[in-house]
Structures are given as structure tokens and as C-alpha cells.
Amino acid sequence: MKLSLRVVLLIGIILIQLLTAFGVLFSTYLTTQGALIDHARELMQEVSRHAIDRSEQFLEPARITADLTRRLADSNVLAVDDPRILEHWFLEEMRLYPWFSGIYFGANDGSFVFVKREPEDAKSKVRFSSKFIQFRDGKREVYFVDRTRDFEEISRQFEPTDTFDPRTRPWYKLAKSKRKLQWTDPYIFFTSRLPGISATIAAYKNEKFNGAIGVDIEIGQLSSFLNGLKIGKDGSAFILNHNGDVIAHPEPKMIKFPAGKAGASPRFVKVGELQDPIARAAFEALQLPFGVISIDGPVVRRFEFNGRHYLSVFTPFFSANWPWTMVIYVPEDDYLGLLREQTQLNIYIGIAITSFTCLLSFFIWRTIARPMRQLSADAAAVQNGEFDIDPKTTSIYREVDAAGDAFRKMVGGLRVREEENLHLRRLQSRLIETMRRSAAGHFASAIAHELNNPLAAVLTNLQIVSRVLKRSAEPPSERLLEAIDGAQSQAERAGAIIRGLREFVEAEEADRRPEEINLVVREAVELAKTDDNIANARFVFDLAENLPEAMMNRVQVQQIILNLSRNAAESMSANGKSAIRISTSSPSDAFVQVSVEDEGPGIPEDIVDQLFKPMVTTKPTGMGVGLSICRTIVESHGGKITASNRDSGGAQFTFTIAI
């Protein structure tokens, strides 16, 4: 099936426009979506690192305070056995770090100094409350002191029924078991019922364990920090302990369970119990048991909740003191929603641009297809032999215009070639007619030449017989004399007919005019190439320049060249040669000369001298007329024709024409 160039061009241009537009939009969407997701991951990891840094900055002062207190106590700069000095030191640290919930020291003899921060209350002036456990004269004494913001004592209350012993507390035992500072797991403070964490460190005196120093921090402020953290439009964050407890959440009420049984303490909510379904789904994407959190570095997960896609980042704290994990999740739409809206807008813009470019392509197609259609119609006309058309293919495009110009030049060349072919056909017709007439005339002349002598002898003999009979003694009969006279009359009549035929042939003389011999030779070769016997021959020219014009009959001289070329081609057919060399020259001021050479077997030596006589030929089916006609034409032009064998093989025919 043949396709239309116009249709293919139009459809191709439109398809290219569509594929280009949608390809650019699709690739842009994919690359931008991937870049935004990567950027979102990096941003979430950065937020995680920032939140972790803030958390560590929030907790680090507790470590510094506990460690400094221990150093001061070990060096006897701070007298831990003086409750008033120790309380004053604790109060100053509480003022310096407002997020400290309490600072305490438990001695190895059971004495205890504890300073805690009271909740803000506009009606109450109490800001700090201290608890003391002392042993005086072997008696245990427990009392509480309330103080203002400026540490002024407001009240003092004794509690003889208090049975608290610091040595039984986990923080005390933890500090005693290890010399370095230790952090407790987050827990719900018994007094304030708020989530917190304690830093504890052992104090030594003379290299002997003297007691434990502790600092309580309410980590509820971490929840406040997470609540104020802006993560996209609908993103959120929470902190997990290594055992799966949720220790910080933007909604603090979600992370604390009330005490269940009587006497039981409140506890943190496990991540699997959290009333935040998106947070649970984010943790499930991590594919870890709900009771174990163990990752070596940041982990990014993608999950789906209620048909909405989310990104989550799990980042462990960098310090081994806090085996916690910061979890941040955010809907993908927070980052990709604008992209999708922009992509939709780009699609509309792309459709508009594509529609415009398609219209522009259609216009361009028309400007290309119209001249191509005209060019196709002109080509069909030329194919049908209409060379007289005037192609009018024009275009605003240089290439199409150049193709139209080339087609017009081609048509002009074909027209000239057709005219030349027509001229050659006319010359060929005239040459064939001349050759036919020449052959017939020369054949008749040869017959007349051959019959003229016998007829003359017959007539002479009849005349002798008539005279002898008339002089004899016995007169011949009248009938015999009449027969002899009749035969003599018929012989004279036959001779007159033959003489008339020779005179008719010899009297016919063609028109002659000045001609350039080189043009005549080239035209004759073009005619020769139309002959099946010469079509495979290869012509080599050696034509001299600036030759004088010669008076000749163009057709007759071309007949000579055609005859010699045909003979040369036929002689070379046996040995596979094909080169015919034609040369022209002017041996004198009176003649121009033409030579025709071949690479055939040459001329037999026994007929070289008789080659131009009538009825002499070397061809099995030849009549021996062609070369005789050539000699007659050459001699009628005042020239001479000769034949010889070449030293390198082949024959050479040379004839001259008088100038």
C-alpha cells in the first residue's frame, strides 16, 4: 500500500507536536515529583535533626547540673551534709533552668534534700517546695518548706508520719551501681503526674560512696515543642522510647494512661495504643514489633492511610543517653499538591500550545504540500510525454523552490533532448532513405555496367550478320532479315534503357553546403548508437580543433561514417572487443580527413585491393554494395577513401572531403 506524502507529513507533524508536548510535561512531572519527594525527605530529616538537637539541648543542662553538683561535693566545695547550703544551691539551679522539675540528694544514711518546682498559680505565692529528711540525735526528722519566687520562706511543716527512704528508689540504686551519670527511662512523676525523666549520678567522699544526686525534668515541654513544629500543612511528629513508649506527642493527653489498679502508677502509652491512627500507620510502615525500637540511622518510609499517601522519617537520637527515636510523618500532597495543580495547569497550557502548533503545522503543511502537489501533477504530465508544459512550482521554502527550479530545468532539458531526438529521427529517416536510394542506384549502375558490354557485343554481331547476309550470293529470305533487324532494334533499345538508367543515377546530385566535420561525426555516432548492431560499441574520439568547413552533403557523409562504424562493430563481435576510434584532421588546406579504426581481425590481404568494388564483400550474407557506395560518395565529394590493416591489429578506413 502506497502512502500519501502529504498525509504522512501532516500526521507526522501533529504527532511529533503531541508527543513532544506530552513527553515534556510527563518527564517534567516525573522529575519534579521525584525531586520534591527527595526534597521532602531531606527536609523531614532536617526537621528531625533540628527537633533532636532541641531535645538534647533541653536535656543537657540536667546532666551538667548533676555532674557539677557531684564534682563540687567530691571536692568539698559544696557541703552535701549541710541541708541549707545544699537547698540554696538547688534553688539557684532551678532558677537558672526553668524546665527543671526538681533537684535532690539522697545520702547513704537515708537523709534527703529535695527541691521541686510548684505549678504556676496566680493566687498562691509558693513557687518552690523543699523536702528535708534529717537525723538528729538518732531521730528521723521530716519537714517541708514552701518558698516564694525569691526563695523567701512562706511556711514550714513537719511530717512525722512520712516513711520515704531515698535508698529504696530506682534512681538511687542506678547511681550507686555505676559511677557515670545515668538516665532513667521516661516515666510519670508520682507527685506531679506529669511525664518526665531523671538524671542521676553517684557522689563520693574520700573515694567512698556518699549518696546520689538527681535532677528531674518534665519532658512535657517536648510535646509543646512538637506541637509548635510546622511540618507541611498536615504533618506531625512524636518521640518514641526504645521500649515503644510514646514520650512526646503534639497532644500531651494522648501519651499518659491513668492508673488502672489501686495503688498503680500512671504510665506512658505504647505506640500500638496511641489514639493517633496515622502515627500507628506510620510505625507499622517501619515493620518492627510494637515493643522494640531499634534502628541505626534515619529510615524513610512511604505508607497509605485512608487512601492518602504519606512520607515518614524515623531518626534515632545521636546520644546513647537517650535511646529515643524521633518520628515525623507528612502527607505527600503537602509537597506534591502544588505540583499536581501546576502540572494540571501545565497540561492545559500544553494543550493550548499544542493546538496552536498543530494549526501552525497545518499551515506549514499546506505551504509545503501545495507546491508538492503541483510538482507531482507536472511530473505525471512529463511521464505522459507532455514536454511542452511550463512548470509553475513555487514556494516560500528554499528547498522546495530549489526542487521546483531543478524540475523546470529537467523539463527544459527533456524538451531539448526530445527535440534533438526528433531531429535525429528525421536525420535517420533521411539517411535510411538516402542509403536505400543509393544502394538501389549503385546496384542498378553496377548491373547496367555489367550488362552494357554484352549488349554491345550482341548488337555488333547482329550488324555483322546483317551485312554478311546482304553481301552473300544467295540473298537471304525477307523473314530472316526482318528477324535480324528486329533483334538489332531490341538490342539497341535495351542499351538505350541501360544508358538512361545510368544517366538517371549519375545525374542525381544531392544538395551540398559548408559543414563542420566534427559536428557531422558526432551526429553520425549518435545515429549509430540507435542501431542494434552498434549499440554495444564504445566510441573513442580524437577530433582535431579549428578544422575548416567542407562542402558536403551532410546525410551522405554521415552514411559513410555509419557504414564504417557498423562494419567495425560487426568485425569485433567475434573477439569481444568494442572500441571504435574516430579521429579527424586536415592533412592539407584542400581536404579534411576522417579515420575510423577498430580492434577486429583486420582485412584479408587477398581482397584489400578489391574492397571498394561492387559485389565484393567479406561477410557471408553481404551484398558487397556498402563500401562501393562509400567510395562513390567520397569521390563525388572530391575525396578519396582507403583501407589498411593496423600494426597493432584491426582495420583502419580513411576518407577525405574536399574543402
Side-chain angles (χ1 to χ4, degrees):
M1 181 181 67
K2 300 294 183 180
L3 300 177
S4 171
L5 177 61
R6 292 176 294 166
V7 175
V8 172
L9 184 62
L10 177 61
I11 296 176
I13 291 176
I14 294 176
L15 284 178
I16 289 173
Q17 295 289 343
L18 292 175
L19 291 176
T20 301
F22 287 104
V24 170
L25 290 175
F26 184 69
S27 62
T28 302
Y29 174 76
L30 289 182
T31 54
T32 306
Q33 179 178 354
L36 280 179
I37 290 178
D38 292 340
H39 178 68
R41 291 173 177 173
E42 294 175 359
L43 183 61
M44 292 170 66
Q45 291 179 13
E46 186 64 29
V47 171
S48 296
R49 287 190 290 268
H50 173 65
I52 290 174
D53 290 340
R54 288 288 302 272
S55 300
E56 291 183 347
Q57 292 174 7
F58 178 77
L59 298 173
E60 183 66 12
R63 184 194 66 79
I64 295 174
T65 298
D67 187 63
L68 179 59
T69 303
R70 191 263 305 174
R71 290 178 182 274
L72 292 176
D74 289 351
S75 59
N76 294 322
V77 174
L78 179 65
V80 295
D81 55 353
D82 189 338
R84 290 182 302 172
I85 295 176
L86 196 58
E87 180 197 22
H88 184 72
W89 168 255
F90 289 165
L91 288 171
E92 290 294 340
E93 290 298 305
M94 295 286 283
R95 174 187 289 176
L96 183 62
Y97 301 107
W99 58 90
F100 284 2
S101 176
I103 305 177
Y104 42 87
F105 173 73
N108 56 3
D109 62 354
S111 59
F112 183 61
V113 177
F114 175 50
V115 177
K116 71 172 182 176
R117 190 185 309 275
E118 295 294 338
E120 295 286 342
D121 189 351
K123 296 181 179 180
S124 175
K125 295 181 180 181
V126 178
R127 291 294 179 265
F128 300 100
S129 178
S130 302
K131 179 178 182 179
F132 297 91
I133 300 177
Q134 296 178 350
F135 292 91
R136 294 180 181 180
D137 300 329
K139 294 181 180 181
R140 185 174 185 270
E141 184 179 77
V142 180
Y143 62 94
F144 296 89
V145 178
D146 294 332
R147 297 184 182 275
T148 64
R149 185 189 302 272
D150 298 326
F151 308 152
E152 294 179 0
E153 184 175 334
I154 298 175
S155 64
R156 183 181 293 259
Q157 180 180 358
F158 287 89
E159 187 63 43
T161 61
D162 187 281
T163 60
F164 178 81
D165 187 349
R167 293 172 295 183
T168 63
R169 305 303 296 171
W171 55 267
Y172 183 93
K173 295 178 181 179
L174 182 63
K176 187 177 181 180
S177 64
K178 297 181 180 179
R179 297 182 64 92
K180 294 182 179 181
L181 183 137
Q182 302 295 319
W183 288 90
T184 65
D185 284 336
Y187 62 98
I188 305 299
F189 290 156
F190 179 80
T191 304
S192 64
R193 294 296 189 266
L194 295 176
I197 188 172
S198 300
T200 180
I201 189 169
Y204 291 86
K205 185 175 183 179
N206 298 325
E207 296 300 325
K208 292 183 179 181
F209 179 74
N210 191 33
I213 302 168
V215 179
D216 290 343
I217 299 178
E218 292 181 0
I219 58 176
Q221 291 197 19
L222 292 179
S223 296
S224 300
F225 167 70
L226 295 180
N227 187 37
L229 196 62
K230 183 67 174 178
I231 307 175
K233 294 180 180 180
D234 302 316
S236 185
F238 58 96
I239 299 176
L240 293 176
N241 193 19
H242 67 92
N243 60 3
D245 289 345
V246 182
I247 61 177
H249 191 275
E251 297 184 23
K253 295 180 179 180
M254 287 189 179
I255 66 175
K256 186 176 65 174
F257 259 168
K261 298 180 180 179
S265 300
R267 63 177 179 84
F268 284 102
V269 170
K270 297 290 185 181
V271 64
E273 303 168 336
L274 188 63
Q275 298 301 311
D276 184 350
I278 303 178
R280 294 201 308 271
F283 184 80
E284 290 175 359
L286 192 59
Q287 297 180 350
L288 290 176
F290 279 104
V292 179
I293 310 296
S294 177
I295 55 177
D296 297 330
V299 177
V300 180
R301 288 289 184 266
R302 188 170 183 263
F303 66 96
E304 183 178 352
F305 180 76
N306 287 342
R308 197 175 185 187
H309 293 283
Y310 289 79
L311 285 176
S312 60
V313 176
F314 298 81
T315 308
F317 277 58
F318 307 117
S319 175
N321 294 322
W322 307 294
W324 303 343
T325 300
M326 177 69 68
V327 184
I328 293 179
Y329 62 87
V330 63
E332 284 187 359
D333 290 341
D334 286 5
Y335 294 96
L336 302 182
L338 182 61
L339 172 64
R340 293 191 177 97
E341 294 177 1
Q342 188 63 38
T343 301
Q344 187 176 12
L345 178 61
N346 290 339
I347 290 175
Y348 293 147
I349 295 175
I351 292 174
I353 294 175
T354 303
S355 301
F356 173 76
T357 54
C358 288
L359 291 176
L360 182 61
S361 301
F362 178 75
F363 172 76
I364 296 174
W365 167 78
R366 287 196 62 187
T367 59
I368 297 176
R370 183 177 297 173
M372 295 296 291
R373 185 168 56 249
Q374 181 63 40
L375 189 64
S376 177
D378 293 339
V382 172
Q383 184 179 6
N384 294 330
E386 300 177 13
F387 299 107
D388 56 344
I389 65 171
D390 183 18
K392 298 179 181 180
T393 303
T394 58
S395 174
I396 61 175
Y397 302 105
R398 288 180 296 179
E399 291 78 5
V400 179
D401 209 27
D405 291 339
F407 183 75
R408 280 190 289 273
K409 292 178 181 178
M410 183 191 71
V411 172
L414 290 175
R415 187 184 298 114
V416 172
R417 188 67 178 175
E418 181 65 16
E419 292 175 355
E420 291 177 354
N421 290 338
L422 181 61
H423 176 66
L424 287 176
R425 286 196 294 271
R426 290 173 181 171
L427 288 178
Q428 189 177 29
S429 299
R430 289 176 56 191
L431 182 61
I432 293 173
E433 181 64 23
T434 301
M435 291 176 64
R436 185 184 297 112
R437 293 176 61 185
S438 296
H442 284 81
F443 189 72
S445 177
I447 293 176
H449 177 75
E450 297 297 328
L451 293 179
N452 190 49
N453 291 332
L455 286 174
V458 171
L459 182 60
T460 300
N461 291 330
L462 288 175
Q463 290 175 351
I464 293 173
V465 171
S466 177
R467 285 196 297 271
V468 170
L469 290 176
K470 288 179 180 180
R471 295 175 183 177
S472 63
E474 294 182 2
S477 64
E478 291 294 330
R479 188 176 179 181
L480 179 59
L481 292 175
E482 290 177 357
I484 293 173
D485 290 339
Q488 186 177 351
S489 299
Q490 293 299 321
E492 291 176 351
R493 182 170 177 272
I497 292 173
I498 293 173
R499 286 194 301 275
L501 180 60
R502 290 190 61 184
E503 290 174 356
F504 172 76
V505 173
E506 293 175 355
E508 181 180 328
E509 184 167 341
D511 294 335
R512 297 179 184 178
R513 63 186 66 184
E515 300 282 358
E516 293 184 10
I517 188 63
N518 288 345
L519 295 179
V520 174
V521 168
R522 290 187 180 277
E523 196 173 73
V525 170
E526 291 296 324
L527 287 171
K529 290 179 180 179
T530 62
D531 192 328
D532 293 338
N533 296 323
I534 315 176
N536 296 326
R538 179 171 57 89
F539 287 88
V540 180
F541 294 100
D542 184 13
L543 307 180
E545 297 181 356
N546 301 321
L547 295 178
E549 293 183 342
M551 292 295 295
M552 69 180 75
N553 182 283
R554 188 186 193 95
V555 176
Q556 289 183 342
V557 174
Q558 289 174 348
Q559 180 183 353
I560 298 172
I561 298 172
L562 183 61
N563 283 341
L564 296 179
S565 299
R566 183 185 293 112
N567 290 341
E570 291 176 354
S571 68
M572 292 187 295
S573 61
N575 59 2
K577 302 291 184 178
S578 63
I580 300 175
R581 185 174 181 271
I582 300 179
S583 60
T584 59
S585 61
S586 179
S588 67
D589 294 339
F591 299 94
V592 292
Q593 179 176 288
V594 180
S595 295
V596 179
E597 303 175 12
D598 62 56
E599 298 177 345
I603 307 170
E605 295 294 337
D606 56 341
I607 65 169
V608 171
D609 297 334
Q610 303 178 7
L611 197 59
F612 295 101
K613 292 183 179 181
M615 309 303 175
V616 177
T617 181
T618 60
K619 303 176 184 178
T621 59
M623 297 179 61
V625 178
L627 292 178
S628 175
I629 293 174
C630 292
R631 186 191 66 178
T632 301
I633 294 174
V634 169
E635 291 177 351
S636 68
H637 282 74
K640 183 179 179 181
I641 186 169
T642 60
S644 62
N645 288 319
R646 300 169 60 207
D647 294 338
S648 59
Q652 177 179 356
F653 289 82
T654 303
F655 66 91
T656 58
I657 301 294
I659 293 176

